[in-house]
Amino acid sequence: MMSIIQVKGGSGKVGVDRTLFVGARIPHEIQAMVKPLTKLDKSVFTKILRVIVASVVGPQPDSSSLRSLVSDKLTDDTVAVIFCGLEKLLRQAWKVSTSSLKKEHFLQDLQELQIPAEFHEDLVSCVFGSVRGKIDEQLENARPGLPTLDHLGWRVDVAISTGVLNRVLVRGVTMDMTLSDGSIKDFEMSVSRFQDLRFQVASVLSEMEKLEKRSILKIKD
Amino acid sequence: MAAMFAASASLKKAVALINELDINRFPLLLSKILQKLHVQEERTFSEEEEEKLQSAFSMSSSDLELVLQTLEFILQQAAYHTAKPAVLGDQLRQLDLHEDKVNKIVEAWTAGARDLVQKLRERTVHPNQLEDVQWRLNLQVAQSTQTKMKLTNAFFQFGVRNEDTKKKENIRLEFTHEELYKFYNQLETIQKQLDSLS
C-alpha cells in the first residue's frame, strides 16, 4: 500500500512515498525516547533489547532485569521511557513480515526516526536475524482462539457382556482429550460415529491443503 | 441350556395368577412390556394405566404388581440369553404355565426380540456419548501482533451427550494444519486397532 505522507521530525524531509513501518503517525512512545537515546551507553541499550526479546521468546524477565540498569547517569524513569519506546518500535517491525518490510527500508526509517546510528545493527538483527523465527512462532502461538488438543488418550474395546445382555460383542472407542485450557473431556462413541469423525477430519485436511495452495497465489505481500 | 427361571414361591404364585388372566387382553399387555423393556428407570405403566389394568383383570394391586414384574422378568431373561423361541417355550412350560399363555409369550418374543436385543446391545456404561461432529475451516489473515498472515485454521465442535443429565456439551477446539494432521494419524492408529478386532 502506498501513501504520500509528511514525515515529521528533526530532519524536516517531506514527501516520502512510503509509510514508515511504525505507522503514519509516529507513536508517542518512540518520539519520547529519541532524546534520551542520544545519551545512552551502547551496553545498556543492548541489555534493554535482550529483555524485550526475552519477554517474547523466554525466559520471562523479572523486574530486576531492568532495575539493575538504573544508575546515577540513568534514572528509572528514563529506563522506562527507553524500554517502552524500543518495545513499541520492535513490535511494529515484528508485526510485518520480512518480505513486506525490507532491510533497507527499515534502516531508512530508523534514520527518519532519529535513532542513533550505533544502535542500528542490533535493531536489524532483532528484526531480520536468526531470532526472528522464534519470535514469529511465539507471536503466532499467543493468538486468541479456542483451546487446542494437548493430548489424546484413547481405547478400543469390545463389550462382551452386560447386566442385561449376555452376549453383546460390540466394539467401541473411548477417548479422553486434554485441552490446552487444562480441562479433560472424556467420552465414548460407536464404531460408526468414529468412522464419521475420521471422515470429517480427513475432509478438513484435504480442504486445508486446497486452501493453502490457492491462497499463496492470491494474497501477495 | 441351564434353566432361565428358578421356581421360587413367588414365581409359582405369579404363574397361577397369569394363568387366570383373560387371554384376549394378554398379547397387548406383553407387547407394551416389551416396548419399554430397554428403557431404564421408567415405569412401564403409569399409575392410571395400572388402575385400569387392575379393574380389567379384576386383580388387587399387589397381585397385578407381581404379574407385571414376573412378565418383565421372563422377557428380560429371554433377552439376556437371547433365547430361541422354542427354548423359551419349553422353559415356560416347565413352570406350569398354560399352553395358551406360553404361545402368546413366545409369539410376542419372536416378534420383538430382534429390536429389543439391538437396543440392549447399544446400552453402554459410559455416561458421555459423542453425538455429532461439526467443523469450520478458516484462513487467518492477521492478528493484533502480526499482519499479512496466511494461517489455515480448523474449528471443530464435538457434541457430547451425557446420558444421565441428558444435556449436550459442545466441546470446541481449534487445530492448525500440523495439529490436525497429528490428530488424523492418531485416528488412523485407532482404525487399525478396530480392524484387528473385527
Side-chain angles (χ1 to χ4, degrees):
Chain A
M1 189 183 129
M2 312 278 238
S3 75
I4 311 235
I5 53 120
Q6 190 160 41
V7 178
K8 293 191 165 89
S11 67
K13 256 207 219 139
V14 161
V16 177
D17 59 355
R18 174 181 64 77
T19 3
L20 293 182
F21 74 87
V22 293
R25 298 169 98 214
I26 301 176
H28 63 93
E29 295 98 327
I30 297 181
Q31 288 183 33
M33 76 166 166
V34 169
K35 210 156 156 216
L37 272 183
T38 56
K39 304 186 208 127
L40 191 66
D41 255 352
K42 180 129 193 257
S43 59
V44 179
F45 177 82
T46 316
K47 288 204 185 95
I48 296 179
L49 274 195
R50 276 208 209 108
V51 171
I52 295 173
V53 171
S55 71
V56 177
V57 302
Q60 276 303 314
D62 56 24
S63 51
S64 63
S65 27
L66 288 180
R67 233 182 285 133
S68 59
L69 301 171
V70 176
S71 67
D72 346 317
K73 290 199 289 176
L74 206 55
T75 63
D76 51 1
D77 275 350
T78 315
V79 174
V81 164
I82 295 174
F83 176 83
C84 289
L86 285 179
E87 208 215 2
K88 185 75 182 179
L89 188 146
L90 282 175
R91 282 200 175 260
Q92 290 295 111
W94 288 331
K95 205 164 170 173
V96 194
S97 68
T98 47
S99 33
S100 287
L101 175 62
K102 309 265 191 306
K103 200 159 130 183
E104 317 87 67
H105 294 159
F106 180 67
L107 285 167
Q108 275 176 22
D109 290 358
L110 288 183
Q111 269 195 311
E112 290 299 327
L113 295 168
Q114 298 178 282
I115 310 293
E118 57 172 330
F119 300 144
H120 289 193
E121 194 186 332
D122 280 346
L123 287 170
V124 164
S125 74
C126 280
V127 176
F128 297 94
S130 56
V131 76
R132 183 61 190 271
K134 281 202 204 98
I135 289 173
D136 281 345
E137 196 187 314
Q138 288 304 316
L139 291 179
E140 197 178 284
N141 288 344
R143 71 187 188 284
L146 295 177
T148 57
L149 183 62
D150 269 359
H151 175 78
L152 176 71
W154 58 267
R155 225 177 60 204
V156 170
D157 20 31
V158 181
I160 309 270
S161 181
T162 64
V164 292
L165 203 53
N166 198 19
R167 262 180 52 121
V168 179
L169 301 176
V170 167
R171 294 172 302 166
V173 177
T174 308
M175 283 189 183
D176 56 82
M177 298 185 163
T178 310
L179 308 186
S180 55
D181 63 2
S183 60
I184 301 180
K185 308 285 181 188
D186 64 300
F187 49 87
E188 200 187 48
M189 69 199 80
S190 63
V191 173
S192 63
R193 180 61 56 207
F194 171 77
Q195 313 281 30
D196 181 55
L197 171 64
R198 196 167 137 250
F199 174 73
Q200 305 274 21
V201 173
S203 308
V204 179
L205 269 176
S206 117
E207 288 295 316
M208 257 187 179
E209 276 164 26
K210 276 191 224 154
L211 183 59
E212 281 164 5
K213 286 202 180 90
R214 249 193 359 213
S215 71
I216 284 172
L217 301 172
K218 288 219 182 109
I219 301 177
K220 286 202 190 113
D221 279 322
Chain B
M1 170 183 181
M4 282 190 259
F5 314 106
S8 64
S10 56
L11 187 60
K12 286 195 182 134
K13 182 173 177 199
V15 167
L17 288 168
I18 293 171
N19 281 336
E20 296 298 306
L21 291 175
D22 174 7
I23 193 67
N24 294 320
R25 291 203 170 88
F26 198 51
L28 196 54
L29 184 67
L30 287 174
S31 68
K32 198 123 195 248
I33 294 174
L34 256 177
Q35 271 172 33
K36 285 288 187 81
L37 211 54
H38 71 280
V39 180
Q40 292 160 287
E41 293 152 31
E42 238 185 74
R43 291 169 63 121
T44 312
F45 296 105
S46 68
E47 286 200 29
E48 273 180 45
E49 289 170 328
E50 284 199 13
E51 277 174 30
K52 283 197 194 136
L53 287 170
Q54 268 182 256
S55 56
F57 289 117
S58 342
M59 262 189 198
S60 67
S61 81
S62 56
D63 281 352
L64 181 68
E65 197 68 37
L66 182 60
V67 165
L68 292 179
Q69 275 177 10
T70 307
L71 289 172
E72 274 179 27
F73 176 67
I74 289 173
L75 292 168
Q76 272 169 356
Q77 283 294 92
Y80 180 79
H81 295 284
T82 319
K84 291 203 170 64
V87 174
L88 177 63
D90 286 343
Q91 300 250 344
L92 289 175
R93 275 178 213 110
Q94 282 180 32
L95 295 174
D96 295 330
L97 257 177
H98 287 168
E99 194 62 28
D100 59 348
K101 302 291 188 311
V102 172
N103 288 335
K104 291 296 176 198
I105 293 176
V106 170
E107 262 175 47
W109 171 243
T110 311
R114 200 209 200 119
D115 272 353
L116 176 62
V117 169
Q118 189 48 41
K119 290 205 182 88
L120 290 177
R121 284 179 92 209
E122 286 163 12
R123 234 193 356 205
T124 68
V125 178
H126 201 295
N128 297 328
Q129 293 291 313
L130 178 65
E131 254 186 21
D132 59 71
V133 176
Q134 296 183 60
W135 55 265
R136 196 174 106 181
L137 177 61
N138 302 313
L139 180 67
Q140 186 185 327
V141 294
Q143 61 192 55
S144 42
T145 51
Q146 284 181 305
T147 61
K148 288 196 185 154
M149 301 166 72
K150 274 169 268 171
L151 184 65
T152 50
N153 215 343
F155 285 7
F156 268 84
Q157 181 172 287
F158 301 119
V160 174
R161 172 87 57 189
N162 185 301
E163 296 293 311
D164 301 329
T165 66
K166 300 295 175 203
K167 288 217 188 95
K168 185 169 170 184
E169 186 191 354
N170 284 323
I171 302 173
R172 298 188 181 97
L173 300 179
E174 67 168 84
F175 294 87
T176 58
H177 194 159
E178 255 178 55
E179 289 163 352
L180 193 62
Y181 189 64
K182 185 172 162 200
F183 183 50
Y184 182 69
N185 283 331
Q186 290 171 305
L187 295 181
E188 284 292 283
T189 309
I190 296 175
Q191 182 63 52
K192 287 204 185 77
Q193 288 300 309
L194 281 172
D195 290 341
S196 71
L197 281 175
S198 53

